[in-house]
């Protein structure tokens, strides 16, 4: 089992790297890595981004530049 704090930190680091990247290819690479870490967070046994009964996610970083970000 992965450490949740590590996964969250790495996702945020990759998002920052993508945000600061000048090259579009490098930006896509970092967003791809961030998406992989986000996927591992969703699959983690702790319910950090689990879908609630009302269909919402407890925490979804999408409005803050995370999942769902268009490249």
């Amino acid at each position: 089992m992965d450490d949740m704090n590590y996964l969250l930190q790495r996702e945020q680091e990759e998002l920052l790297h993508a945000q600061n990247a000048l090259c579009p290819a490098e930006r896509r690479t970092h967003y791809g890595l961030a998406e992989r870490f986000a996927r591992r967070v969703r699959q983690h046994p702790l319910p950090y981004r689990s879908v609630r009964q009302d269909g919402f996610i407890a925490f979804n970083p999408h409005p803050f530049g995370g999942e769902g970000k268009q490249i």
Side-chain angles (χ1 to χ4, degrees), residues 1-2 4-5 7-8 38-53 56-61 67:
M1 176 170 68
D2 293 312
M4 177 65 90
N5 290 324
L7 295 175
L8 294 170
R39 189 177 318 120
R40 289 169 65 186
V41 167
R42 283 192 308 271
Q43 294 170 348
H44 201 276
L46 296 176
Y48 188 68
R49 292 189 190 159
S50 299
V51 179
R52 299 184 317 199
Q53 287 181 340
F56 289 99
I57 298 174
F59 178 79
N60 185 0
E67 296 177 57

Side-chain angles (χ1 to χ4, degrees), residues 5-25:
N5 290 324
Y6 171 77
L7 295 175
L8 294 170
Q9 177 185 353
R10 290 293 295 135
E11 179 192 18
Q12 293 302 309
E13 286 174 357
E14 291 303 329
L15 290 172
L16 288 172
H17 287 306
Q19 204 172 29
N20 294 325
L22 299 176
C23 174

Side-chain angles (χ1 to χ4, degrees), residues 16-33:
L16 288 172
H17 287 306
Q19 204 172 29
N20 294 325
L22 299 176
C23 174
E26 183 181 359
R27 190 176 304 119
R28 282 191 301 273
T29 300
H30 285 295
Y31 276 128
L33 288 170

